Amino acid sequence: MKGTADPSDSRNGIVLRDRAVRLFKFLRELARLRRRIVRDLFEYERVVWFHDMPEYKGCFSILGLESDTSQDTTWLEVRKSPEPKRPPIPTACQRWLEDTDEDNPEAEPKLRDEIPTRTSHTPGYELNLHPQDEASTPPVERLSDHPEILEKWDRWKQDYWRPWLEAHSRWKAADDIYCKLFSMHQQMKKLAERYELLLGLGLLTWETPNNQVIRRHIVVGDAYLTFDANKAKFELQAAPEGVKLHFEPEMIDQNYLPPLNQQKEFESMLGLVQESPWNKDETDKILRSFIHSISPQGVYSDSLSPPDRPPKAPTITFAPALILRQRTQRSQIQCLSSIIDQISKGGNIPSGIEILCEEPEQVEDSDESKENAGTQITDGTLYLPLPTNEEQEQILYQIKSQHGILVQGPPGTGKSHTIANIICHLLAQGKRVLVTSQTPRALKVLKEKIPTEMSALCVTLLGNDQAARQELEESVSGINQKYSDWNPVQNQRLITRLEEHLYELRKDKANKERLLREQREIDTYHHEVAGGNYKGTAQQIAQRVAAEESKFAWLEDTIENDESCPLSNDEFRELLRLYRNLPEEYSLELKKELVNRELIPDMALFIRLIDDEKKTKQALSECESQRGSL
């Protein structure tokens, strides 16, 4: 456990170490309280027993007669097989066949003792009723009168039905296991972070004196299930990281467990064969020793089948099984116990734990911090490849000055987006970043958000399966390849070119921000025009002019903004004086409605109309004189 502080044997160091130990003990006990003890394995999601594997084509078990446990790496193999077709019933026996249960194809067919007699003129099953007496009993045929039918039936059952029934039973057992493995694989594929797949050995069955029923394996190890969809084949093997067999005695009360030193001895024995679960001799010896240390009545059986009911005496049966269950907090408890042991033995205490233990003034810079101090970029630049906002930038600023920060938020609020930006920013500063999560799914979401250029610098481990290990190897090999291809001179030229481009972008951004700021200042500047009659921003003055447009629409404004006034101040005062001294009749005339200028004809038209009027009046006068002379 790598730490940053080196507490001395002084009083402060002893107090700090004691607080750290008590902190992790509290976390361990809290994890134990949240852990639900399962005493019956049938409460698990799925259980597949090895003894249920039939001897059928497409099925293989490492415990089979033809298996070599020292060489085989596959524990189980199950292929999907077609259902055997049911043999057809002899034609002569079909009339005598009883109705069968269609839901149970393995139900044994039977013949009736008697059937109605067929009529001589109509095929089928019509009855030969006597029209004189409809209530009379119809004639029947008895099976005992047809020994040839019984002989054919017995021969068919012996030669066809019973071989088919045996083959169908084995097929059904194999198909049931195939369906169970399919369900297990689907659940592991969808919710791998929630479930774990285990191999169980040594089934403890016991009805304890306090009436607790225990039916659970005492030894478990990690298993790995693969599915070939093209071949419709499942294979069960050891997990890529190893089987790691270990004891799980938490379902047994402490009063019945052997002493602690003896438990550690059993764990040491199991550690020697933890990658060899099918070493039957060694495994039997460990399981037999364990059950004999629990009770003088303890019994061990190397049978592959579990007992029908829990006995009064504690009994361990080899009975291997494949188990799918929800993940427990066992690994978390073991990790906390290991930390407690290391700190108690004088291990260094990390600076983050020192802060939680209320001794922040004693925290010293770690070697990693000193190492990164020389490469840290201090120009205040935030290297964020993804869009960001002020809150996300504030998180980065706090990281520089705080030992740790907590960011909370419901799903969809941008936490993964922010973490991706933080990773890229810290990597750009030459720092190392470790990202962990309780579930691989969260890490996969985060990986998709990191740009491709940055993900090439990341060592990725997103699970415990073979695909995750392969991805880890590819990421490490990619980093090694980049390291071997590194050209300092060429990369320095690229850095210089990018810095110049970044400078130009920042300059262009500053100019645009300046223009935008000036435009905003124009919009917000306070103006006074028309001798102070119009005050406010340009927008406010424009709104007022628009509101008063109907009042001053008759006055055509043809004056440009840059034109000067044609009258001086004295001339304008004189014009105003003359206007005020106008006689009343002139004032009334000026207030009259003006004719629209567009309706006034031009000069030539006006003269022509006057001439036409004169000619018309003269013609009218001549007509009136002639009418008076008549």
Side-chain angles (χ1 to χ4, degrees):
M1 177 175 166
K2 185 179 178 181
T4 60
D6 185 17
S8 62
D9 293 335
S10 63
R11 178 61 181 171
N12 291 336
I14 295 175
V15 172
L16 177 61
R17 189 174 302 281
D18 178 67
R19 288 176 177 174
V21 170
R22 287 189 286 118
L23 172 61
F24 284 105
K25 283 184 177 180
F26 168 79
L27 295 175
R28 184 182 63 182
E29 296 305 317
L30 180 61
R32 286 175 175 172
L33 289 175
R34 297 173 58 186
R35 184 181 184 183
R36 186 177 71 91
I37 297 178
V38 177
R39 290 186 168 84
D40 193 341
L41 59 81
F42 289 104
E43 295 183 21
Y44 294 147
E45 274 66 18
R46 293 283 180 180
V47 177
V48 175
W49 299 96
F50 277 66
H51 81 91
D52 287 337
M53 180 66 69
E55 294 183 4
Y56 193 72
K57 59 182 179 180
C59 295
F60 166 79
S61 172
I62 195 171
L63 299 178
L65 299 177
E66 300 178 357
S67 173
D68 184 359
T69 58
S70 62
Q71 299 294 330
D72 292 328
T73 59
T74 300
W75 300 346
L76 288 180
E77 180 179 313
V78 182
R79 297 173 180 261
K80 186 175 180 60
S81 303
E83 182 178 3
K85 294 184 178 180
R86 186 170 178 172
I89 297 175
T91 305
C93 302
Q94 291 179 358
R95 293 178 54 229
W96 301 87
L97 187 65
E98 288 186 357
D99 295 335
T100 58
D101 185 3
E102 297 181 356
D103 296 333
N104 184 13
E106 294 186 358
E108 183 178 358
K110 296 181 180 180
L111 298 181
R112 295 187 177 95
D113 293 334
E114 57 183 31
I115 59 174
T117 304
R118 288 183 176 180
T119 61
S120 58
H121 62 281
T122 305
Y125 291 91
E126 295 184 5
L127 301 180
N128 185 18
L129 299 175
H130 296 279
Q132 297 84 356
D133 185 8
E134 294 183 0
S136 60
T137 304
V140 296
E141 296 183 54
R142 301 185 183 279
L143 183 62
S144 57
D145 297 334
H146 298 276
E148 73 281 2
I149 300 295
L150 286 173
E151 182 180 358
K152 289 183 179 180
W153 181 253
D154 291 340
R155 190 183 309 115
W156 176 80
K157 290 180 64 176
Q158 182 67 27
D159 296 343
Y160 297 97
W161 166 256
R162 288 190 176 89
W164 173 86
L165 179 62
E166 183 179 355
H168 191 272
S169 298
R170 293 198 302 270
W171 169 85
K172 190 175 186 306
D175 189 67
D176 289 343
I177 293 179
Y178 181 90
C179 293
K180 289 181 179 179
L181 294 178
F182 185 86
S183 177
M184 285 181 170
H185 184 266
Q186 290 295 103
Q187 286 183 272
M188 288 294 297
K189 188 175 180 180
K190 295 178 181 178
L191 299 171
E193 68 275 7
R194 181 178 177 184
Y195 293 100
E196 59 182 352
L197 196 64
L198 300 173
L199 170 69
L201 300 175
L203 179 67
L204 173 62
T205 53
W206 184 23
E207 184 177 350
T208 63
N210 55 0
N211 297 325
Q212 283 184 345
V213 175
I214 299 176
R215 185 164 41 192
R216 191 175 145 185
H217 290 90
I218 200 71
V219 174
V220 296
D222 297 333
Y224 184 60
L225 183 64
T226 59
F227 177 54
D228 188 340
N230 182 38
K231 298 180 180 179
K233 180 182 70 173
F234 285 100
E235 285 189 0
L236 180 67
Q237 300 173 333
E241 297 84 1
V243 187
K244 301 177 183 178
L245 290 178
H246 58 272
F247 280 102
E248 281 193 351
E250 67 267 10
M251 64 280 193
I252 308 174
D253 288 344
Q254 294 293 328
N255 297 333
Y256 302 119
L257 287 174
L260 185 60
N261 58 346
Q262 196 171 6
Q263 293 184 44
K264 291 184 177 181
E265 181 181 349
F266 292 146
E267 291 175 356
S268 300
M269 295 171 59
L270 187 62
L272 299 176
V273 294
Q274 66 172 353
E275 299 302 325
S276 305
W278 309 112
N279 188 345
K280 196 84 166 34
D281 295 336
E282 294 296 328
T283 306
D284 287 350
K285 181 172 64 175
I286 296 172
L287 295 176
R288 187 181 297 109
S289 301
F290 187 88
I291 192 63
H292 289 165
S293 65
I294 290 180
S295 171
Q297 289 81 32
V299 178
Y300 176 72
S301 171
D302 61 356
S303 173
L304 302 181
S305 303
D308 295 333
R309 65 176 66 181
K312 295 293 183 180
T315 302
I316 288 183
T317 311
F318 184 66
L322 179 64
I323 299 170
L324 178 68
R325 71 183 186 186
Q326 293 190 16
R327 293 186 181 274
T328 64
Q329 294 180 332
R330 175 181 175 275
S331 58
Q332 181 181 359
I333 294 174
Q334 288 182 339
C335 178
L336 294 172
S337 299
S338 176
I339 294 174
I340 293 171
D341 185 60
Q342 292 183 38
I343 295 178
S344 300
K345 292 180 179 180
N348 292 334
I349 303 175
S351 59
I353 303 302
E354 291 185 8
I355 296 172
L356 295 177
C357 294
E358 300 178 352
E359 296 289 345
E361 65 278 1
Q362 297 182 5
V363 179
E364 299 178 358
D365 293 336
S366 63
D367 295 336
E368 182 178 350
S369 300
K370 296 177 181 178
E371 176 185 347
N372 291 332
T375 60
Q376 183 175 357
I377 300 174
T378 59
D379 59 358
T381 303
L382 297 180
Y383 297 93
L384 309 178
L386 304 178
T388 184
N389 54 32
E390 294 182 1
E391 292 182 353
Q392 295 171 348
E393 293 178 1
Q394 187 63 29
I395 294 174
L396 284 169
Y397 290 130
Q398 291 185 7
I399 288 177
K400 296 180 180 179
S401 58
Q402 303 292 333
H403 291 283
I405 61 173
L406 173 64
V407 180
Q408 290 180 311
T413 54
K415 295 187 297 296
S416 299
H417 184 98
T418 303
I419 294 173
N421 265 335
I422 292 174
I423 293 173
C424 296
H425 173 72
L426 295 178
L427 288 178
Q429 291 185 326
K431 294 181 180 294
R432 290 176 291 178
V433 183
L434 173 65
V435 182
T436 63
S437 174
Q438 186 176 1
T439 62
R441 182 183 302 177
L443 294 177
K444 291 178 181 178
V445 172
L446 180 60
K447 180 186 176 184
E448 294 174 356
K449 292 184 176 295
I450 296 178
T452 306
E453 296 82 0
M454 301 300 295
S455 61
L457 302 176
C458 301
V459 178
T460 307
L461 180 61
L462 300 181
N464 56 359
D465 54 5
Q466 186 64 31
R469 293 176 63 87
Q470 183 177 357
E471 187 175 13
L472 173 62
E473 294 176 358
E474 292 176 354
S475 62
V476 173
S477 62
I479 293 176
N480 291 334
Q481 183 66 32
K482 284 185 174 295
Y483 181 78
S484 61
D485 296 340
W486 178 262
N487 188 329
V489 177
Q490 182 179 357
N491 282 275
Q492 185 59 43
R493 293 174 182 172
L494 178 61
I495 292 173
T496 303
R497 186 167 64 252
L498 292 176
E499 287 179 345
E500 293 175 354
H501 181 61
L502 181 60
Y503 172 78
E504 294 296 329
L505 291 177
R506 289 174 176 172
K507 182 179 178 181
D508 184 60
K509 179 183 177 183
N511 291 331
K512 286 183 169 55
E513 289 178 348
R514 178 182 57 79
L515 293 175
L516 181 60
R517 184 170 58 254
E518 291 177 355
Q519 187 64 37
R520 289 178 177 176
E521 289 178 354
I522 293 175
D523 294 339
T524 58
Y525 183 76
H526 190 82
H527 300 271
E528 290 189 10
V529 296
N533 291 327
Y534 292 88
K535 298 179 180 180
T537 63
Q539 181 181 8
Q540 293 172 343
I541 295 175
Q543 290 176 349
R544 181 179 171 187
V545 171
E548 297 176 350
E549 182 180 4
S550 59
K551 182 178 179 181
F552 302 105
W554 59 270
L555 182 60
E556 183 177 359
D557 186 7
T558 59
I559 303 174
E560 300 297 334
N561 293 332
D562 55 350
E563 290 186 11
S564 60
C565 183
L567 301 177
S568 64
N569 291 338
D570 295 336
E571 292 174 339
F572 187 80
R573 293 191 186 96
E574 180 65 18
L575 177 62
L576 182 60
R577 185 187 63 79
L578 294 174
Y579 175 76
R580 291 174 178 174
N581 295 331
L582 282 175
E584 183 177 356
E585 60 272 15
Y586 289 162
S587 298
L588 294 176
E589 184 176 353
L590 291 174
K591 291 181 180 179
K592 290 181 179 181
E593 184 178 357
L594 296 177
V595 179
N596 192 343
R597 189 176 62 180
E598 297 178 356
L599 300 178
I600 300 176
D602 57 6
M603 183 65 70
L605 178 60
F606 186 73
I607 294 174
R608 188 170 62 253
L609 291 175
I610 293 176
D611 292 340
D612 292 343
E613 184 182 8
K614 289 180 180 181
K615 292 178 181 180
T616 303
K617 287 181 178 181
Q618 184 178 359
L620 179 61
S621 176
E622 293 178 355
C623 290
E624 287 180 351
S625 62
Q626 291 177 1
R627 187 178 57 180
S629 62
L630 292 177

